């Protein structure tokens, strides 16, 4: 039987992710949204495209959660994106309400699924989705680190004029302004970045990575980035469906790793059919640990605020 991916929220990120999944031929897609007609219209459009992509995947659109039943992967992109001048954290209250509804319904109908939360502020929404769903914490993940790392790789590759494919970099911590791009561990085909680019310039590239989302929001004026976010979500979906055991930076539930408990944070995760199958612990310097902890404290504060409402 073909795999099934349900995407909750048929907006920019959701619909673009649906396109990538369908085009890959990996799975059928159920697109859900509260807006009437939108998921149905986009699903029909995507299904018509499938014949031109030479794949046998199909897409359904619905305003009824029943359509999402028995999914292998559930992707949550429902909610509101940023407008210019807004931080991801400004979306807290509006999106927390959305996520509580979504997580309860999808967990009831697809108890075996791996859930990927995308809605911002993502680490907080991932925690809420896990709490509300009652799912095993290894089956709930947040997408942020794959996107942030791809932005870092892009900026470095533009600087050096090399292909981003040959650039290895990882961004840890929360998916917010306090994210932790690990420049120390970045390499170009094995050559340390720090031996190729000066310290001050690296600091600028790290700064641009931290503001990577805001840079696009300020250009678009309405809405936020979706092509690279969808590509990052697709990388996680395929690692899960193909049981690839890839090591990708994802927001995962920590039970003491990196000295942190009861929080979803961006860390290197081994991704497979069961979700976050393993968390890898990198040796961090004292400064990196401080940055990681600061980012964790900011996430915890927002979780407390959201759950107090
Ligand atoms: N984690 C990341 O790296 C990352 C990257 C990009 C965007 N995002 C976040 O993803 C979210 C979606 O972004 P977008 O650009 O697709 O926004 P969008 O406005 O284009 O789409 C959001 C969709 O959610 C729907 N929606 C609202 N409430 C709903 C509910 N209760 N149930 C189902 N659907 C509902 C809306 O009708 C809309 O179609 C935002 O919160 C954005 O900040 C996160």
């Amino acid at each position: 039987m073909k795999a099934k991916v349900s995407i909750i929220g048929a907006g920019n990120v959701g619909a673009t992710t649906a396109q990538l999944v369908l085009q890959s031929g990996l799975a059928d897609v159920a697109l859900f949204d509260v807006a009437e007609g939108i998921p149905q219209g986009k699903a029909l459009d995507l299904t018509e495209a499938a014949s031109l992509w030479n794949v046998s995947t199909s897409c359904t659109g619905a305003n009824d959660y029943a359509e999402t039943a028995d999914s292998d992967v559930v992707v949550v992109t429902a909610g509101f994106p940023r407008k210019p001048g807004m931080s991801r954290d400004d979306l807290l209250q509006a999106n927390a309400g959305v996520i509580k509804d979504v997580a309860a319904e999808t967990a009831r109908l697809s108890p075996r699924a791996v859930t990927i939360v995308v809605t911002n502020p993502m680490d907080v929404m991932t925690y809420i989705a896990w709490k509300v769903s009652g799912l095993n914490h290894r089956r709930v993940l947040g997408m942020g680190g794959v996107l942030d790392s791809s932005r870092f790789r892009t900026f470095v590759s533009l600087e050096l004029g090399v292909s981003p494919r040959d650039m290895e970099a990882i961004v840890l911590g929360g998916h917010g302004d306090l994210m932790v791009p690990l420049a120390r561990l970045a390499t170009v085909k094995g050559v340390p970045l720090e031996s190729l680019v000066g310290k001050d310039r690296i600091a600028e590239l790290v700064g641009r990575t931290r503001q990577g989302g805001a840079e696009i929001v300020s250009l678009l004026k309405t809405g936020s980035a979706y092509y690279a976010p969808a590509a990052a979500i697709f990388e996680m979906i395929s690692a899960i469906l193909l049981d690839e055991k890839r090591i990708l930076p994802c927001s995962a539930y920590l039970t003491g790793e990196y000295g942190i408990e009861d929080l979803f944070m961006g860390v290197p995760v081994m991704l497979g059919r069961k979700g976050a199958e393993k968390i890898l612990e990198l040796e961090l310097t004292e400064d990196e640990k401080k940055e990681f902890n600061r980012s964790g404290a900011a996430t915890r504060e927002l979780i407390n605020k959201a759950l107090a409402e």
Side-chain angles (χ1 to χ4, degrees), residues 6-176:
S6 282
I7 300 179
I8 315 302
N12 284 336
V13 177
T16 311
T17 305
Q19 177 184 349
L20 294 175
V21 173
L22 292 163
Q23 216 165 0
S24 74
L26 266 187
D28 289 333
V29 172
L31 205 49
F32 172 94
D33 203 291
V34 283
E36 281 177 25
I38 301 287
Q40 291 86 349
K42 291 192 182 183
L44 183 58
D45 195 5
L46 285 162
T47 300
E48 289 164 3
S51 65
L52 299 165
W53 294 329
N54 281 326
V55 290
S56 316
T57 41
S58 65
C59 188
T60 51
N63 306 115
D64 182 342
Y65 275 104
E67 196 61 47
T68 70
D70 299 321
S71 300
D72 298 287
V73 174
V74 171
V75 179
V76 182
T77 71
F80 305 95
R82 285 192 279 174
K83 297 198 177 82
M86 281 174 90
S87 77
R88 292 180 180 89
D89 300 351
D90 291 333
L91 299 171
L92 183 71
Q93 299 307 348
N95 285 348
V98 171
I99 294 301
K100 283 179 192 163
D101 288 349
V102 171
E105 290 291 335
T106 54
R108 185 173 63 81
L109 289 160
S110 299
R112 291 173 307 103
V114 176
T115 298
I116 302 173
V117 179
V118 181
T119 307
N120 275 319
M122 180 276 290
D123 303 278
V124 181
M125 296 303 139
T126 310
Y127 187 93
I128 293 174
W130 165 66
K131 269 274 181 209
V132 169
S133 68
L135 293 173
N136 182 300
H137 58 77
R138 292 286 169 243
R139 292 191 164 267
V140 182
L141 289 153
M143 190 290 288
V146 177
L147 172 64
D148 297 329
S149 304
S150 79
R151 286 180 172 148
F152 190 31
R153 286 166 58 204
T154 302
F155 300 146
V156 171
S157 70
L158 288 173
E159 176 77 10
L160 292 174
V162 299
S163 164
R165 289 170 59 196
D166 292 326
M167 166 78 206
E168 265 293 335
I170 188 161
V171 177
L172 302 187
H175 175 61

